Amino acid sequence: MAEDEHQRRDREIIRTERSLLARLGQAIKVADLMAVLMVLATFFSAYATWRTALVTSAIFAVADRPFLGVQQVNFEMDDPAHPIIMVDYKNFGNIPALDTILSVHAVVDGKLIKPAAGAMSEIDAGIVSPNVPHYFYISLPSDNYQAVAAGKSNLQVHVRFVYKGPAHLMQLCYFERFAYQLQWNIFQASGGDDRCGTEVF
């Protein structure tokens, strides 16, 4: 009888120990899960902080840089024998553009028109202040103009800026093509990009 009592107590102790071990195992699993969740939460928090810093940096980089562009391209016909193309350009940003090089070229039927003797197609514009209108003129040979005005030739004006922001760290670029639309007597944008290369166009 005493032996049965002893075996029964042993079984209860074993059962209790197993129950305690099972509870301990569950607690360890929960603790491991919590640790993994905390690591994941830390990772995602760090990633969100990094993304926020990246976006903030991009916003400031865009806000604190010049944006050169063309406001309008027109024909100046004060002297019909010597037609002139006027490019009205501007810094649309809030920061001055520095070391600005501007080049403007007329292209008729896919061929670059060389400037007349003494005329320039490229200038060192230096500092281009924000929200101030600037102008550049190029002449078009009369025979080319007559062909364009008669609808026999196609005219494009290519405008390119290479410039820097106030930090002088990065070279910025703007290139755009303007196609002359005879029926409306306007120059219309027809492509461009903001990647700087060594090629002229």
Side-chain angles (χ1 to χ4, degrees), residues 77-139:
M77 298 302 296
D78 293 338
D79 181 0
H82 300 92
I84 291 173
I85 299 169
M86 182 188 75
V87 176
D88 176 3
Y89 66 97
K90 191 175 173 182
N91 180 356
F92 293 92
N94 298 315
I95 304 293
L98 307 176
D99 301 335
T100 305
I101 303 294
L102 163 66
S103 60
V104 179
H105 297 276
V107 178
V108 176
D109 295 331
K111 293 179 182 176
L112 189 69
I113 302 299
K114 291 185 179 179
M120 293 187 301
S121 62
E122 183 173 293
I123 61 165
D124 181 353
I127 298 172
V128 179
S129 301
N131 298 312
V132 177
H134 300 269
Y135 304 95
F136 187 73
Y137 299 88
I138 59 168
S139 59

Short mmCIF file of all heavy atoms in Angstrom, two decimals, residues 77-139:
data_model
loop_
_atom_site.label_atom_id
_atom_site.label_comp_id
_atom_site.label_asym_id
_atom_site.label_seq_id
_atom_site.Cartn_x
_atom_site.Cartn_y
_atom_site.Cartn_z
N MET A 77 10.45 90.58 -85.61
CA MET A 77 10.43 90.93 -87.04
C MET A 77 10.55 92.43 -87.28
O MET A 77 9.90 92.98 -88.16
CB MET A 77 9.13 90.39 -87.67
CG MET A 77 9.00 88.87 -87.60
SD MET A 77 10.36 88.01 -88.39
CE MET A 77 10.14 88.52 -90.07
N ASP A 78 11.38 93.11 -86.49
CA ASP A 78 11.58 94.54 -86.70
C ASP A 78 12.17 94.80 -88.08
O ASP A 78 11.85 95.80 -88.73
CB ASP A 78 12.49 95.13 -85.62
CG ASP A 78 11.82 95.08 -84.25
OD1 ASP A 78 10.58 95.00 -84.20
OD2 ASP A 78 12.55 95.08 -83.23
N ASP A 79 13.05 93.90 -88.51
CA ASP A 79 13.65 94.01 -89.84
C ASP A 79 13.43 92.68 -90.56
O ASP A 79 14.15 91.71 -90.31
CB ASP A 79 15.15 94.31 -89.70
CG ASP A 79 15.83 94.48 -91.05
OD1 ASP A 79 15.13 94.36 -92.09
OD2 ASP A 79 17.06 94.70 -91.07
N PRO A 80 12.42 92.60 -91.45
CA PRO A 80 12.11 91.33 -92.12
C PRO A 80 13.28 90.74 -92.89
O PRO A 80 13.34 89.53 -93.11
CB PRO A 80 10.96 91.70 -93.06
CG PRO A 80 10.35 92.92 -92.47
CD PRO A 80 11.49 93.66 -91.83
N ALA A 81 14.23 91.57 -93.29
CA ALA A 81 15.39 91.05 -94.02
C ALA A 81 16.36 90.33 -93.08
O ALA A 81 17.20 89.55 -93.53
CB ALA A 81 16.11 92.20 -94.73
N HIS A 82 16.25 90.62 -91.80
CA HIS A 82 17.12 89.99 -90.81
C HIS A 82 16.27 89.48 -89.64
O HIS A 82 16.25 90.09 -88.56
CB HIS A 82 18.18 90.98 -90.30
CG HIS A 82 19.06 91.50 -91.37
ND1 HIS A 82 18.81 92.67 -92.07
CD2 HIS A 82 20.21 90.99 -91.92
CE1 HIS A 82 19.74 92.87 -92.97
NE2 HIS A 82 20.61 91.87 -92.90
N PRO A 83 15.56 88.38 -89.85
CA PRO A 83 14.71 87.85 -88.77
C PRO A 83 15.54 87.36 -87.59
O PRO A 83 16.63 86.81 -87.76
CB PRO A 83 13.96 86.70 -89.44
CG PRO A 83 14.78 86.33 -90.62
CD PRO A 83 15.51 87.56 -91.06
N ILE A 84 15.00 87.59 -86.41
CA ILE A 84 15.69 87.23 -85.17
C ILE A 84 14.76 86.36 -84.33
O ILE A 84 13.56 86.61 -84.23
CB ILE A 84 16.10 88.49 -84.38
CG1 ILE A 84 17.20 89.24 -85.14
CG2 ILE A 84 16.57 88.15 -82.98
CD1 ILE A 84 17.54 90.57 -84.53
N ILE A 85 15.34 85.33 -83.72
CA ILE A 85 14.59 84.49 -82.78
C ILE A 85 14.98 84.93 -81.38
O ILE A 85 16.16 84.96 -81.03
CB ILE A 85 14.91 83.00 -82.99
CG1 ILE A 85 14.52 82.57 -84.40
CG2 ILE A 85 14.19 82.15 -81.94
CD1 ILE A 85 15.04 81.20 -84.79
N MET A 86 13.97 85.30 -80.58
CA MET A 86 14.21 85.74 -79.21
C MET A 86 13.83 84.62 -78.24
O MET A 86 12.73 84.08 -78.31
CB MET A 86 13.39 86.97 -78.88
CG MET A 86 13.64 87.49 -77.48
SD MET A 86 12.53 88.81 -76.99
CE MET A 86 11.02 87.88 -76.69
N VAL A 87 14.76 84.29 -77.36
CA VAL A 87 14.50 83.30 -76.31
C VAL A 87 14.39 84.04 -74.98
O VAL A 87 15.35 84.69 -74.54
CB VAL A 87 15.63 82.24 -76.25
CG1 VAL A 87 15.40 81.27 -75.09
CG2 VAL A 87 15.73 81.49 -77.57
N ASP A 88 13.22 83.98 -74.38
CA ASP A 88 12.95 84.60 -73.09
C ASP A 88 13.13 83.51 -72.03
O ASP A 88 12.35 82.56 -71.97
CB ASP A 88 11.52 85.14 -73.10
CG ASP A 88 11.08 85.73 -71.77
OD1 ASP A 88 11.90 85.78 -70.84
OD2 ASP A 88 9.91 86.13 -71.67
N TYR A 89 14.20 83.61 -71.24
CA TYR A 89 14.47 82.56 -70.26
C TYR A 89 14.47 83.13 -68.84
O TYR A 89 14.56 84.36 -68.64
CB TYR A 89 15.77 81.82 -70.55
CG TYR A 89 17.04 82.63 -70.44
CD1 TYR A 89 17.80 82.60 -69.27
CD2 TYR A 89 17.51 83.39 -71.50
CE1 TYR A 89 18.97 83.31 -69.17
CE2 TYR A 89 18.68 84.11 -71.41
CZ TYR A 89 19.41 84.07 -70.23
OH TYR A 89 20.57 84.79 -70.13
N LYS A 90 14.39 82.22 -67.87
CA LYS A 90 14.17 82.67 -66.50
C LYS A 90 14.65 81.60 -65.52
O LYS A 90 14.67 80.42 -65.83
CB LYS A 90 12.67 82.90 -66.34
CG LYS A 90 12.22 83.60 -65.10
CD LYS A 90 10.71 83.83 -65.23
CE LYS A 90 10.14 84.38 -63.96
NZ LYS A 90 8.68 84.55 -64.06
N ASN A 91 15.00 82.03 -64.33
CA ASN A 91 15.29 81.12 -63.21
C ASN A 91 14.00 81.00 -62.40
O ASN A 91 13.60 81.93 -61.70
CB ASN A 91 16.43 81.68 -62.35
CG ASN A 91 16.76 80.78 -61.18
OD1 ASN A 91 16.11 79.77 -60.94
ND2 ASN A 91 17.78 81.17 -60.42
N PHE A 92 13.34 79.85 -62.51
CA PHE A 92 12.06 79.66 -61.84
C PHE A 92 12.22 79.22 -60.38
O PHE A 92 11.23 79.07 -59.67
CB PHE A 92 11.22 78.62 -62.60
CG PHE A 92 10.80 79.09 -63.95
CD1 PHE A 92 11.58 78.82 -65.07
CD2 PHE A 92 9.64 79.82 -64.13
CE1 PHE A 92 11.20 79.26 -66.33
CE2 PHE A 92 9.25 80.27 -65.38
CZ PHE A 92 10.03 79.99 -66.49
N GLY A 93 13.46 79.01 -59.93
CA GLY A 93 13.70 78.62 -58.55
C GLY A 93 13.81 79.83 -57.65
O GLY A 93 13.55 80.98 -58.05
N ASN A 94 14.23 79.59 -56.40
CA ASN A 94 14.38 80.66 -55.43
C ASN A 94 15.84 80.99 -55.14
O ASN A 94 16.12 81.87 -54.34
CB ASN A 94 13.69 80.26 -54.11
CG ASN A 94 12.21 80.05 -54.29
OD1 ASN A 94 11.54 80.84 -54.95
ND2 ASN A 94 11.68 78.97 -53.74
N ILE A 95 16.75 80.27 -55.76
CA ILE A 95 18.18 80.42 -55.51
C ILE A 95 18.86 80.83 -56.82
O ILE A 95 18.51 80.31 -57.87
CB ILE A 95 18.78 79.08 -55.03
CG1 ILE A 95 18.03 78.56 -53.80
CG2 ILE A 95 20.26 79.19 -54.74
CD1 ILE A 95 18.20 79.39 -52.56
N PRO A 96 19.82 81.76 -56.79
CA PRO A 96 20.51 82.14 -58.03
C PRO A 96 21.24 80.96 -58.67
O PRO A 96 21.79 80.10 -57.97
CB PRO A 96 21.50 83.22 -57.58
CG PRO A 96 21.01 83.69 -56.26
CD PRO A 96 20.29 82.54 -55.63
N ALA A 97 21.24 80.93 -59.99
CA ALA A 97 22.04 79.96 -60.74
C ALA A 97 23.42 80.57 -60.98
O ALA A 97 23.52 81.75 -61.33
CB ALA A 97 21.37 79.62 -62.05
N LEU A 98 24.46 79.78 -60.80
CA LEU A 98 25.82 80.27 -60.94
C LEU A 98 26.53 79.58 -62.09
O LEU A 98 26.17 78.46 -62.47
CB LEU A 98 26.60 80.03 -59.64
CG LEU A 98 25.96 80.57 -58.35
CD1 LEU A 98 26.79 80.17 -57.15
CD2 LEU A 98 25.79 82.08 -58.42
N ASP A 99 27.55 80.24 -62.62
CA ASP A 99 28.38 79.67 -63.70
C ASP A 99 27.51 79.19 -64.86
O ASP A 99 27.74 78.11 -65.42
CB ASP A 99 29.23 78.51 -63.18
CG ASP A 99 30.16 78.92 -62.06
OD1 ASP A 99 30.50 80.11 -61.98
OD2 ASP A 99 30.54 78.05 -61.25
N THR A 100 26.53 79.98 -65.23
CA THR A 100 25.56 79.57 -66.25
C THR A 100 26.11 79.74 -67.66
O THR A 100 26.59 80.82 -68.02
CB THR A 100 24.27 80.40 -66.12
OG1 THR A 100 23.78 80.27 -64.78
CG2 THR A 100 23.22 79.93 -67.10
N ILE A 101 26.06 78.67 -68.41
CA ILE A 101 26.40 78.71 -69.84
C ILE A 101 25.11 78.43 -70.61
O ILE A 101 24.45 77.42 -70.39
CB ILE A 101 27.46 77.65 -70.21
CG1 ILE A 101 28.73 77.81 -69.37
CG2 ILE A 101 27.78 77.71 -71.70
CD1 ILE A 101 29.48 79.10 -69.62
N LEU A 102 24.76 79.34 -71.50
CA LEU A 102 23.54 79.21 -72.30
C LEU A 102 23.93 79.05 -73.76
O LEU A 102 24.75 79.81 -74.28
CB LEU A 102 22.66 80.45 -72.13
CG LEU A 102 21.56 80.68 -73.16
CD1 LEU A 102 20.49 79.59 -73.08
CD2 LEU A 102 20.93 82.05 -72.98
N SER A 103 23.34 78.06 -74.43
CA SER A 103 23.54 77.92 -75.87
C SER A 103 22.19 77.77 -76.55
O SER A 103 21.32 77.06 -76.06
CB SER A 103 24.45 76.73 -76.20
OG SER A 103 23.89 75.53 -75.73
N VAL A 104 22.03 78.50 -77.65
CA VAL A 104 20.78 78.48 -78.42
C VAL A 104 21.15 78.27 -79.89
O VAL A 104 22.02 78.97 -80.42
CB VAL A 104 20.00 79.80 -78.26
CG1 VAL A 104 18.72 79.77 -79.08
CG2 VAL A 104 19.68 80.08 -76.79
N HIS A 105 20.50 77.29 -80.52
CA HIS A 105 20.79 77.00 -81.92
C HIS A 105 19.49 76.82 -82.71
O HIS A 105 18.55 76.21 -82.21
CB HIS A 105 21.62 75.71 -82.05
CG HIS A 105 22.96 75.81 -81.41
ND1 HIS A 105 24.05 76.35 -82.04
CD2 HIS A 105 23.39 75.43 -80.19
CE1 HIS A 105 25.09 76.30 -81.23
NE2 HIS A 105 24.72 75.75 -80.10
N ALA A 106 19.49 77.35 -83.92
CA ALA A 106 18.38 77.10 -84.84
C ALA A 106 18.72 75.87 -85.68
O ALA A 106 19.87 75.70 -86.12
CB ALA A 106 18.15 78.31 -85.74
N VAL A 107 17.74 75.02 -85.87
CA VAL A 107 17.92 73.80 -86.66
C VAL A 107 16.82 73.78 -87.71
O VAL A 107 15.63 73.76 -87.38
CB VAL A 107 17.83 72.54 -85.76
CG1 VAL A 107 17.98 71.28 -86.60
CG2 VAL A 107 18.90 72.59 -84.68
N VAL A 108 17.20 73.83 -88.98
CA VAL A 108 16.24 73.83 -90.09
C VAL A 108 16.36 72.52 -90.84
O VAL A 108 17.43 72.16 -91.32
CB VAL A 108 16.48 75.04 -91.03
CG1 VAL A 108 15.53 74.97 -92.23
CG2 VAL A 108 16.28 76.34 -90.28
N ASP A 109 15.24 71.81 -90.92
CA ASP A 109 15.19 70.50 -91.60
C ASP A 109 16.28 69.55 -91.07
O ASP A 109 16.94 68.83 -91.83
CB ASP A 109 15.31 70.66 -93.11
CG ASP A 109 14.12 71.41 -93.70
OD1 ASP A 109 13.01 71.31 -93.12
OD2 ASP A 109 14.30 72.09 -94.72
N GLY A 110 16.51 69.61 -89.76
CA GLY A 110 17.47 68.71 -89.13
C GLY A 110 18.92 69.15 -89.23
O GLY A 110 19.80 68.46 -88.74
N LYS A 111 19.18 70.30 -89.86
CA LYS A 111 20.56 70.78 -90.02
C LYS A 111 20.79 72.01 -89.14
O LYS A 111 20.00 72.95 -89.16
CB LYS A 111 20.84 71.14 -91.48
CG LYS A 111 20.82 69.91 -92.39
CD LYS A 111 21.09 70.31 -93.82
CE LYS A 111 21.01 69.09 -94.74
NZ LYS A 111 21.17 69.45 -96.16
N LEU A 112 21.88 71.97 -88.39
CA LEU A 112 22.24 73.08 -87.51
C LEU A 112 22.63 74.30 -88.34
O LEU A 112 23.45 74.21 -89.25
CB LEU A 112 23.41 72.65 -86.62
CG LEU A 112 23.82 73.58 -85.49
CD1 LEU A 112 22.76 73.61 -84.41
CD2 LEU A 112 25.14 73.12 -84.90
N ILE A 113 22.00 75.43 -88.04
CA ILE A 113 22.31 76.68 -88.74
C ILE A 113 23.45 77.38 -88.01
O ILE A 113 23.34 77.69 -86.82
CB ILE A 113 21.08 77.61 -88.81
CG1 ILE A 113 19.91 76.90 -89.49
CG2 ILE A 113 21.41 78.91 -89.50
CD1 ILE A 113 20.16 76.48 -90.91
N LYS A 114 24.56 77.61 -88.72
CA LYS A 114 25.69 78.29 -88.10
C LYS A 114 25.35 79.77 -87.92
O LYS A 114 24.72 80.38 -88.78
CB LYS A 114 26.94 78.15 -88.98
CG LYS A 114 27.45 76.73 -89.01
CD LYS A 114 28.75 76.64 -89.78
CE LYS A 114 29.26 75.20 -89.77
NZ LYS A 114 30.51 75.05 -90.51
N PRO A 115 25.77 80.35 -86.78
CA PRO A 115 25.48 81.77 -86.57
C PRO A 115 26.22 82.65 -87.58
O PRO A 115 27.27 82.27 -88.10
CB PRO A 115 25.96 82.02 -85.14
CG PRO A 115 26.91 80.91 -84.84
CD PRO A 115 26.50 79.75 -85.68
N ALA A 116 25.64 83.81 -87.82
CA ALA A 116 26.27 84.76 -88.74
C ALA A 116 27.59 85.24 -88.15
O ALA A 116 27.84 85.13 -86.95
CB ALA A 116 25.33 85.94 -88.97
N ALA A 117 28.43 85.77 -89.02
CA ALA A 117 29.75 86.26 -88.58
C ALA A 117 29.55 87.32 -87.50
O ALA A 117 28.75 88.24 -87.65
CB ALA A 117 30.51 86.85 -89.76
N GLY A 118 30.27 87.15 -86.41
CA GLY A 118 30.18 88.12 -85.31
C GLY A 118 29.04 87.82 -84.33
O GLY A 118 28.98 88.44 -83.26
N ALA A 119 28.14 86.93 -84.69
CA ALA A 119 27.02 86.60 -83.80
C ALA A 119 27.40 85.42 -82.91
O ALA A 119 28.26 84.62 -83.27
CB ALA A 119 25.78 86.28 -84.61
N MET A 120 26.76 85.32 -81.78
CA MET A 120 27.05 84.25 -80.84
C MET A 120 25.84 83.33 -80.70
O MET A 120 24.71 83.77 -80.80
CB MET A 120 27.38 84.82 -79.45
CG MET A 120 28.67 85.60 -79.40
SD MET A 120 29.11 86.07 -77.70
CE MET A 120 27.71 87.04 -77.21
N SER A 121 26.13 82.07 -80.51
CA SER A 121 25.06 81.12 -80.22
C SER A 121 25.21 80.57 -78.81
O SER A 121 24.38 79.81 -78.34
CB SER A 121 25.07 79.97 -81.23
OG SER A 121 26.28 79.26 -81.14
N GLU A 122 26.29 80.98 -78.13
CA GLU A 122 26.53 80.53 -76.76
C GLU A 122 27.12 81.68 -75.96
O GLU A 122 27.97 82.42 -76.46
CB GLU A 122 27.49 79.34 -76.77
CG GLU A 122 27.76 78.76 -75.39
CD GLU A 122 28.58 77.48 -75.45
OE1 GLU A 122 28.05 76.47 -75.97
OE2 GLU A 122 29.73 77.51 -75.00
N ILE A 123 26.65 81.83 -74.72
CA ILE A 123 27.17 82.90 -73.86
C ILE A 123 27.43 82.36 -72.45
O ILE A 123 26.81 81.38 -72.04
CB ILE A 123 26.21 84.12 -73.76
CG1 ILE A 123 24.86 83.69 -73.17
CG2 ILE A 123 26.06 84.82 -75.08
CD1 ILE A 123 24.00 84.85 -72.71
N ASP A 124 28.32 83.03 -71.77
CA ASP A 124 28.53 82.79 -70.35
C ASP A 124 27.63 83.78 -69.62
O ASP A 124 27.97 84.95 -69.48
CB ASP A 124 30.01 83.01 -69.99
CG ASP A 124 30.30 82.75 -68.52
OD1 ASP A 124 29.34 82.54 -67.74
OD2 ASP A 124 31.48 82.77 -68.15
N ALA A 125 26.45 83.33 -69.19
CA ALA A 125 25.48 84.22 -68.57
C ALA A 125 25.81 84.50 -67.10
O ALA A 125 25.19 85.36 -66.48
CB ALA A 125 24.08 83.62 -68.68
N GLY A 126 26.76 83.74 -66.54
CA GLY A 126 27.18 83.99 -65.16
C GLY A 126 26.08 83.68 -64.16
O GLY A 126 25.58 82.57 -64.09
N ILE A 127 25.68 84.70 -63.38
CA ILE A 127 24.64 84.53 -62.36
C ILE A 127 23.29 84.86 -62.98
O ILE A 127 23.11 85.92 -63.58
CB ILE A 127 24.91 85.45 -61.16
CG1 ILE A 127 26.24 85.09 -60.50
CG2 ILE A 127 23.76 85.36 -60.15
CD1 ILE A 127 26.67 86.05 -59.42
N VAL A 128 22.34 83.95 -62.82
CA VAL A 128 20.97 84.19 -63.29
C VAL A 128 20.09 84.24 -62.05
O VAL A 128 19.84 83.23 -61.38
CB VAL A 128 20.49 83.08 -64.26
CG1 VAL A 128 19.06 83.35 -64.70
CG2 VAL A 128 21.41 82.99 -65.46
N SER A 129 19.65 85.47 -61.72
CA SER A 129 18.86 85.67 -60.50
C SER A 129 17.45 85.11 -60.65
O SER A 129 16.93 85.02 -61.77
CB SER A 129 18.77 87.16 -60.19
OG SER A 129 20.06 87.69 -60.00
N PRO A 130 16.82 84.76 -59.54
CA PRO A 130 15.45 84.20 -59.61
C PRO A 130 14.42 85.23 -60.06
O PRO A 130 14.52 86.41 -59.72
CB PRO A 130 15.17 83.78 -58.16
CG PRO A 130 16.49 83.72 -57.49
CD PRO A 130 17.36 84.70 -58.20
N ASN A 131 13.46 84.76 -60.82
CA ASN A 131 12.27 85.53 -61.22
C ASN A 131 12.58 86.85 -61.93
O ASN A 131 11.80 87.79 -61.84
CB ASN A 131 11.37 85.78 -60.00
CG ASN A 131 10.88 84.48 -59.40
OD1 ASN A 131 10.41 83.60 -60.10
ND2 ASN A 131 11.03 84.34 -58.09
N VAL A 132 13.71 86.89 -62.60
CA VAL A 132 14.05 88.07 -63.41
C VAL A 132 14.09 87.63 -64.87
O VAL A 132 14.76 86.65 -65.19
CB VAL A 132 15.44 88.64 -63.00
CG1 VAL A 132 15.82 89.81 -63.89
CG2 VAL A 132 15.43 89.05 -61.54
N PRO A 133 13.37 88.31 -65.77
CA PRO A 133 13.40 87.89 -67.18
C PRO A 133 14.77 88.17 -67.82
O PRO A 133 15.39 89.19 -67.57
CB PRO A 133 12.30 88.73 -67.83
CG PRO A 133 12.09 89.89 -66.92
CD PRO A 133 12.47 89.44 -65.54
N HIS A 134 15.22 87.22 -68.62
CA HIS A 134 16.47 87.35 -69.36
C HIS A 134 16.19 87.00 -70.81
O HIS A 134 15.30 86.20 -71.10
CB HIS A 134 17.54 86.39 -68.80
CG HIS A 134 17.86 86.63 -67.36
ND1 HIS A 134 18.86 87.48 -66.94
CD2 HIS A 134 17.30 86.13 -66.23
CE1 HIS A 134 18.90 87.49 -65.63
NE2 HIS A 134 17.97 86.67 -65.17
N TYR A 135 16.98 87.57 -71.73
CA TYR A 135 16.73 87.36 -73.16
C TYR A 135 18.01 87.01 -73.88
O TYR A 135 19.09 87.47 -73.50
CB TYR A 135 16.12 88.63 -73.78
CG TYR A 135 14.87 89.09 -73.10
CD1 TYR A 135 14.92 90.06 -72.10
CD2 TYR A 135 13.63 88.54 -73.44
CE1 TYR A 135 13.76 90.48 -71.45
CE2 TYR A 135 12.47 88.95 -72.80
CZ TYR A 135 12.55 89.92 -71.81
OH TYR A 135 11.40 90.32 -71.17
N PHE A 136 17.85 86.19 -74.91
CA PHE A 136 18.97 85.88 -75.79
C PHE A 136 18.43 85.84 -77.22
O PHE A 136 17.35 85.31 -77.46
CB PHE A 136 19.59 84.53 -75.42
CG PHE A 136 20.85 84.22 -76.17
CD1 PHE A 136 22.02 84.88 -75.88
CD2 PHE A 136 20.85 83.27 -77.19
CE1 PHE A 136 23.19 84.60 -76.58
CE2 PHE A 136 22.01 83.00 -77.89
CZ PHE A 136 23.19 83.67 -77.59
N TYR A 137 19.19 86.41 -78.13
CA TYR A 137 18.74 86.51 -79.53
C TYR A 137 19.68 85.75 -80.44
O TYR A 137 20.89 85.81 -80.27
CB TYR A 137 18.71 87.98 -79.98
CG TYR A 137 17.79 88.85 -79.17
CD1 TYR A 137 18.22 89.48 -78.01
CD2 TYR A 137 16.48 89.06 -79.58
CE1 TYR A 137 17.37 90.28 -77.27
CE2 TYR A 137 15.62 89.87 -78.85
CZ TYR A 137 16.07 90.47 -77.70
OH TYR A 137 15.22 91.27 -76.97
N ILE A 138 19.11 85.05 -81.41
CA ILE A 138 19.92 84.48 -82.49
C ILE A 138 19.27 84.88 -83.81
O ILE A 138 18.04 85.02 -83.91
CB ILE A 138 20.05 82.94 -82.40
CG1 ILE A 138 18.67 82.26 -82.44
CG2 ILE A 138 20.82 82.53 -81.18
CD1 ILE A 138 18.75 80.77 -82.65
N SER A 139 20.11 85.08 -84.81
CA SER A 139 19.58 85.47 -86.12
C SER A 139 19.37 84.23 -86.98
O SER A 139 20.05 83.21 -86.81
CB SER A 139 20.55 86.43 -86.82
OG SER A 139 21.80 85.81 -86.98
#
